[in-house]
Amino acid sequence: MYEEKFMLRAIKVSIKNLEKGGGPFGAVIVKDGKVVAIGMNRVTCNNDPTAHAEVMVIRKAAKKLKTFNLSGCEIYTSCEPCPMCLGAIYWARIDRIYYGNTKDDAAKIGFDDSFIYQELELDKGKRKVQMLQFLPEQAKETFVRWVEKEDKVEY
Amino acid sequence: MYEEKFMLRAIKVSIKNLEKGGGPFGAVIVKDGKVVAIGMNRVTCNNDPTAHAEVMVIRKAAKKLKTFNLSGCEIYTSCEPCPMCLGAIYWARIDRIYYGNTKDDAAKIGFDDSFIYQELELDKGKRKVQMLQFLPEQAKETFVRWVEKEDKVEY
């Protein structure tokens, strides 16, 4: 069963990564039955809060395949993606997600994705992080220019 | 009013970016009344689906401040963050978000963050992207090792 091979690889990557000082998370992107890229959590090592395994592997796979559209790809991740990573997976147009541990398992060992999921479901005014709309009239200009631009690359 | 200066900067960055072939989004991170970093949407230019303005500016600010924890910082963004970027903002521990355009404005010009917000609120089985739990027993090993590890860097 080829899915097993790739999931075991993602798990192996996660273990190797924690041995090397990273977080206990690993991910693999596969296309047409072949590994395109592997990624691991390097948040504390790289001083990069966005360096989760899934974001890392998406960036690497997109660079390797020379496209921002990873449709036709699958991601194998040692843990259910957090909202940041799930958002990245949607933007990348990845078809399918295989995950090992759940977000509740992650919360139990101190990685509180569940909190962020809850926050995203709240109305803006009720979130822990303050969100203030500001100068919308001025900001609109960018979108007007985008609509008018003829040679834009849409995605 | 110093907030105005930073928001206008984020808007200016977004306009300059679209003129240079990027998406119509810009962001600025500010700490103690000073700009730490600017970021812009480079998804199509860099072939990186994660290269939204907020993710870019968080990566740059964290690198510059040599920390994965941006508490004490504010983010000014020309548009309300998508779930990926909002997740990144939570992970970075940013205190406050100022945004110009809304996610509904973005949806109207073809950037469908709203769709991803809706997807995140659904139960896993009901999302458009297929999510399958796989080999949880094997995946658990990583988390057990993390808990047992004595010299880990938590965040």
Side-chain angles (χ1 to χ4, degrees):
Chain A
M1 192 182 178
Y2 87 92
E3 290 92 346
E4 190 164 328
K5 185 176 76 175
F6 298 127
M7 181 53 100
L8 291 174
R9 179 83 185 274
I11 295 167
K12 200 171 164 187
V13 167
S14 74
I15 292 173
K16 202 167 170 188
N17 188 52
L18 83 90
E19 286 168 353
K20 287 188 172 181
F25 305 97
V28 173
I29 284 181
V30 172
K31 189 174 187 181
D32 301 329
K34 282 183 193 142
V35 171
V36 179
I38 62 167
M40 53 221 77
N41 182 302
R42 305 301 289 169
V43 170
T44 59
C45 311
N46 295 6
N47 281 329
D48 179 359
T50 74
H52 286 201
E54 298 93 328
V55 165
M56 296 292 273
V57 75
I58 286 171
R59 302 183 81 221
K60 281 165 75 175
K63 195 172 181 181
K64 194 163 172 189
L65 298 176
K66 298 186 177 64
T67 173
F68 53 83
N69 185 334
L70 298 178
S71 53
C73 291
E74 295 172 340
I75 188 165
Y76 293 78
T77 172
S78 63
C79 184
E80 185 180 346
C82 78
M84 173 178 73
C85 293
L86 191 52
I89 288 166
Y90 275 102
W91 286 119
R93 275 78 163 146
I94 287 173
D95 295 338
R96 193 175 292 125
I97 304 167
Y98 295 93
Y99 64 95
N101 296 302
T102 66
K103 66 181 188 327
D104 299 318
D105 298 328
K108 278 181 205 145
I109 64 157
F111 294 93
D112 207 355
D113 308 15
S114 300
F115 165 70
I116 303 181
Y117 271 104
Q118 288 158 17
E119 285 282 303
L120 262 68
E121 288 186 18
L122 296 176
D123 288 334
K124 277 182 281 221
K126 293 184 176 163
R127 291 180 183 147
K128 288 273 188 309
V129 63
Q130 234 188 320
M131 294 186 70
L132 305 161
Q133 193 177 21
F134 193 47
L135 308 185
E137 282 309 312
Q138 287 88 330
K140 198 183 289 179
E141 189 191 340
T142 318
F143 281 6
V144 171
R145 290 216 197 185
W146 177 257
V147 171
E148 287 170 353
K149 192 174 161 72
E150 289 183 357
D151 60 342
K152 59 181 173 268
V153 182
E154 294 182 273
Y155 67 95
Chain B
M1 192 181 179
Y2 87 92
E3 291 91 345
E4 191 164 326
K5 185 176 74 174
F6 298 128
M7 181 53 98
L8 290 174
R9 178 84 185 273
I11 295 169
K12 200 171 162 186
V13 167
S14 74
I15 292 174
K16 202 168 169 187
N17 188 53
L18 85 89
E19 286 168 353
K20 287 188 173 179
F25 305 97
V28 174
I29 285 181
V30 171
K31 190 174 187 181
D32 301 330
K34 282 184 192 138
V35 172
V36 178
I38 62 167
M40 54 222 76
N41 182 301
R42 305 302 290 169
V43 170
T44 58
C45 311
N46 295 5
N47 281 328
D48 178 359
T50 74
H52 286 201
E54 297 93 329
V55 166
M56 295 292 274
V57 75
I58 286 170
R59 304 183 80 220
K60 281 164 77 175
K63 194 170 182 181
K64 194 161 170 187
L65 299 175
K66 296 188 177 66
T67 173
F68 53 85
N69 184 335
L70 298 178
S71 54
C73 292
E74 295 171 341
I75 189 165
Y76 293 78
T77 172
S78 63
C79 185
E80 185 180 345
C82 78
M84 173 179 72
C85 293
L86 191 52
I89 288 167
Y90 275 103
W91 285 119
R93 275 79 164 145
I94 288 174
D95 296 337
R96 193 175 294 124
I97 304 167
Y98 295 93
Y99 64 95
N101 296 302
T102 66
K103 66 180 187 328
D104 298 317
D105 297 328
K108 279 180 204 147
I109 64 157
F111 294 94
D112 208 356
D113 307 16
S114 301
F115 164 71
I116 303 180
Y117 271 103
Q118 289 158 16
E119 285 284 301
L120 262 68
E121 289 186 16
L122 296 175
D123 288 335
K124 277 182 281 220
K126 292 183 178 165
R127 291 180 183 146
K128 289 273 188 307
V129 62
Q130 234 189 321
M131 294 185 70
L132 305 162
Q133 193 177 22
F134 193 49
L135 308 185
E137 282 309 312
Q138 288 88 329
K140 199 183 286 179
E141 190 191 339
T142 317
F143 281 6
V144 171
R145 289 217 198 183
W146 177 258
V147 171
E148 287 168 354
K149 190 172 163 73
E150 291 183 357
D151 60 343
K152 59 182 171 266
V153 182
E154 292 181 275
Y155 69 94

